[in-house]
Amino acid sequence: MKPLFLVSTAIFALASASSVAAQDQSAQTGDPDDGADQQTIIVTGRLTDFGATKSDTPIVETARSISIETEQDFEEKGAQSLDDALTYSAGVTAEPFGFSTRGDFAQVRGLDAPEYRDNLQYLFGFYNTTRQDIYTLEQVEVLKGPASVLYGAGSPGGIINVVTKRPHGVTKGELRLDYGSFDRKQIATDINIAVPGAEDQAQFRFVGILRDADTQIDEVNDDKLVIAPALTLRPGSGTEVTVLANYSEQRSDTAHQFLPVTGTLFAATSGREIDPYEYHGAPGFNAYDTDSFALTLLLEQRLSDAFSFEAVGRFVDSQADYRQAWIAFQGNGVPRIDANGDGAWTYYLADNRSEQLAVDARLRGEFSTGPIRHEMLVGVQRQDVFTDSDTAYIFNGGTLNAFDPQYRNVLSVDEVRQFQRNRPRNYVDSTGFYISDQLNWGSLVANAGVRFDSVENRVENGTTQEDDATSLSFGLLWRGPAGISPYVSYAESFEPVVGIDTFTNRQLLPQEGRQYEAGIKWQPPGINTLVTLSGFDIEVSNLPNPASLVGGNSQQEGISKVRGIEFEGNALIGGLRLDANASYLDAEDPNGFALTSIADWQASLFALYNFDGALDGLSLGGGIRYVAGNESNGISALDGTLLTYRTDGRTVGDLSLGYEFDRFAFRLTARNVTNEEYFAVCLVRGDCFPGEKRSINGSLSVSF
């Protein structure tokens, strides 16, 4: 299936290259402020000064690889989560651990990717906040590769930045009703009001969500309440202030059941199989209940024709009551269940909390020096975060049969809580100063940036570690004939590692990343198409030593390498919209093993046609997604030999049918329409993660 699918994707690329062209990225999105017809099809999104690149420079003029999924994409592709929204993005492993309710775990270019919202990092620690809901978002942006010059400490794989819905100058509203598989019921509204007589000066927007839903796993629900008001004021003198508030409440359980590999990946001696969607939790004990409140301030002040001041600040307070039972782990390669399927039942309880206060303020200058046009940013970013996790853990709290769970003698919350430990808080305070300049000289677009960071990690009543880092980035793009724009770029990242090097007796060094990237962007004038072909080489250093290294000078001589090629094409040809993506990764850890859960090949194709004439208002489409197999490696706890668990790849299809009439819009979507059963990954520690089952959802919206 893989060769056929890859060939079909290549055919699309060739067809696009010979018959369509792209117009400027900034012209591909209807601006809600101008009252444009909302049926306008968005080929790709548009970057803004508060987007992933902190600039409104079009993607086609940016010497980096960037993917954008818009709210129109969410709807037409049937996405119900951030992970879902990224399944049609090149170079993104959107569901590395299958179906999830605790959060989104997308990885970019084989590596973890921090999650940002409106320029500021949003998630810290683990399982301590409410999962973001995509109905509150305008778009999702993926900036691939290191981004420390703009954002400080982070992953060399890239960042995921989500853009919140903001007020605009058109008064309108929407009421939306959803019903879908697993008795998923949701009511949502999105209301925007431009104050009469002062439409440009005062605007208000309200987004609300109420959901009552079960999931593909019995006993696991996914209920949510979101209240998200926003206000924009423009009092004059070039001032614009936007306040975004978001209260989110989630009442759920964890979909990850950590199913034993015996009876899933490997056959049991009895020949019995574990139902991939079986519940191995403890009814009445399990929960993943979260509450979070975020208040964000966006400020723009025009100082002169050439200079402006911008700032984004945020306060977030989140907490989670996380309780779960699972069949106990016994060590790499050690069976977790006996021949009858019985295993020890582990209980885990955590009261988690996180709090963030952050600000990113910058001076933007747009001016010329002779023939060179500059867009310069000089900024400072300050962030204070604390995380707290008070946990309880019972290794053997009873027995559960993996093949036929009988939930007997379940421990109560109070029985487990008596073992809870009050752990110290962890504080991370960081300050970064950065400067970047984009220079336009004729057909050449160059950029360069440098950032200086200081990060302090502190344990309450414990140790303090301070790290300093300098990060660089460079890029060069040539706007050539026929809309062909070749580019090259270099970028760096760093991420502190807390602890002491036992070899040198000094504090551990930050992990460091660097990336070389080269590619071609293509947008011949006249037709809506944007095509990007890129190749990259990422190296991550200061990792733990490989097992083969004996007697090293430090314990951080490990190096991981990730190399790959990506293709992404978005086209609008008449009423036909096409999104095609393909990527290849050669990713190795310091031991030379493939990175866990990361496939070498991925490809996808989504097509949707909007009819006109007698069928005006009707749209029909679908997509196909291919993800190759992956592997997990480790050392056996039984005999010290190498273990490799390989998980098969999968091909799944999606369908989308919509009809708009008068003020009403109906859409029916189906993801994994053939209901393929698959595991996203199986780990050598002994557990497997099922993928998403078929999910059908119908929505009816009325505009007013």
Side-chain angles (χ1 to χ4, degrees), residues 96-111:
F97 300 103
F99 176 67
S100 175
T101 52
R102 292 179 297 179
D104 301 286
F105 304 97
Q107 297 175 321
V108 180
R109 292 185 169 173
L111 303 167

Side-chain angles (χ1 to χ4, degrees), residues 67 203 228 370 575 664:
S67 297
Q203 300 156 0
F664 298 90

